Amino acid sequence: MNIVIDNIEQFKAFFDVIYDMSSELVELQLFTDRMVCAMLDRTKTRFFHVVYDAEFFKCYDIDGDMKSITVFVEDIHNLLKSTNKKDTLYFEVNDPYLVAKIESDNGNKRLFEFVLPTDFVDSPVPPHAEFPAVFEVDTGVLKQSVKDIGLVGTDLFRFIVNDGVLTLTSDNESSTTKYANTIEVELEEPSNMMVASAFSLEYIGQMLKFDKISKRVKLKLGSDLPVFYTFEDALMGVTVNGMIAPRISED
């Protein structure tokens, strides 16, 4: 196995988000044409899945059939935290170690050997569902609403889609301050059906950290259903898919 990464920022984005919310271990599935990583958070309310195509890497050489290695999330996170965007990262497995080398543009080379865990974990299978509202939106619009709703003082982020108009609102029922941000969106399947679903403001904010992958996100929504999202940079060959469970009103 010989993997070389010179696109540090996009590779690091996934592990920055899942750190602190994942289990201790995560599986890296190494296919001959792609690297895949998937996980559920500890509360099983969020699902994360990333695919790095072979073209994403400066070098991606996986001998033989698909391989799987289990790594400590903290090790990968701390390694990537020590890099900068101009570095080149080299990975290889020298059992029982994951060997990582960071080469800076000034020629400095740092070597790390992480002990691979003896326990193994199986990656969760990506969920699948059909939704009445599927569309793309600029992440800047969502980030502005996350900031605005945080100022309102509620912890809910509500999506409402009605006749091609997306409305982003706070939990207006429990706050004296009202907020709404509206934008026209192009639905993949035009529909007059109104859908509405609410989510943790914190979780939406964390989702938007994937804007290092793409400044546009595809959302799939249904009333009181999970939100499914996709950030994709087709040119670089990286795709992040995820799911966030809804906050259901007790009324």
Side-chain angles (χ1 to χ4, degrees):
M1 182 191 95
N2 182 26
I3 297 174
V4 183
I5 304 162
D6 58 359
N7 186 348
I8 295 292
E9 287 297 286
Q10 286 192 329
F11 188 76
K12 183 165 61 173
F14 182 79
F15 296 96
D16 280 348
V17 172
I18 70 170
Y19 182 63
D20 277 343
M21 67 183 72
S22 69
S23 57
E24 184 176 296
L25 306 176
V26 70
E27 180 187 29
L28 298 180
Q29 296 177 321
L30 307 175
F31 299 89
T32 56
D33 62 345
R34 67 196 185 280
M35 176 191 291
V36 178
C37 183
M39 56 145 288
L40 286 166
D41 74 351
R42 296 186 183 96
T43 62
K44 297 185 175 12
T45 57
R46 286 172 290 175
F47 172 81
F48 304 91
H49 181 269
V50 65
V51 178
Y52 302 100
D53 293 337
E55 293 76 14
F56 173 84
F57 302 93
K58 184 175 181 180
C59 176
Y60 186 78
D61 184 12
I62 305 299
D63 297 330
D65 297 329
M66 175 267 190
K67 292 178 173 57
S68 171
I69 60 172
T70 301
V71 297
F72 291 105
V73 175
E74 184 175 13
D75 285 346
I76 301 299
H77 175 264
N78 289 342
L79 171 70
L80 294 171
K81 187 177 180 180
S82 72
T83 65
N84 66 60
K85 62 182 179 180
K86 292 184 179 181
D87 289 342
T88 301
L89 178 61
Y90 299 79
F91 276 130
E92 64 179 61
V93 173
N94 184 10
D95 199 30
Y97 298 101
L98 173 67
V99 181
K101 181 176 71 174
I102 301 172
E103 183 173 330
S104 301
D105 57 355
N106 63 3
N108 182 43
K109 298 177 182 179
R110 293 176 286 149
L111 187 67
F112 298 81
E113 292 185 348
F114 299 104
V115 177
L116 292 171
T118 55
D119 295 333
F120 293 92
V121 295
D122 291 325
S123 296
V125 177
H128 175 75
E130 299 295 332
F131 293 90
V134 180
F135 56 91
E136 288 191 358
V137 64
D138 287 338
T139 57
V141 173
L142 303 182
K143 292 180 83 169
Q144 183 63 60
S145 287
V146 167
K147 180 179 179 180
D148 293 343
I149 292 172
L151 295 175
V152 169
T154 69
D155 64 350
L156 281 184
F157 188 102
R158 190 181 305 275
F159 294 94
I160 300 173
V161 183
N162 190 15
D163 199 22
V165 175
L166 169 66
T167 302
L168 310 170
T169 76
S170 59
D171 181 19
N172 293 333
E173 295 179 357
S174 61
S175 173
T176 57
T177 303
K178 311 301 180 185
Y179 171 83
N181 184 5
T182 60
I183 181 176
E184 292 186 0
V185 293
E186 184 176 349
L187 300 176
E188 287 192 357
E189 296 292 336
S191 171
N192 294 326
M193 179 188 302
M194 187 183 81
V195 301
S197 198
F199 303 90
S200 161
L201 179 67
E202 178 186 5
Y203 291 176
I204 297 298
Q206 289 171 342
M207 174 195 80
L208 292 170
K209 292 180 180 180
F210 289 128
D211 70 344
K212 290 182 180 179
I213 306 299
S214 173
K215 299 302 181 184
R216 290 186 66 80
V217 56
K218 176 184 282 189
L219 299 177
K220 299 180 180 180
L221 289 165
S223 290
D224 293 329
L225 294 176
V227 57
F228 282 59
Y229 59 84
T230 299
F231 293 81
E232 180 179 18
D233 186 336
L235 183 62
M236 296 304 301
V238 55
T239 304
V240 171
N241 293 293
M243 180 211 74
I244 303 173
R247 292 268 295 268
I248 305 297
S249 173
E250 297 180 358
D251 295 339

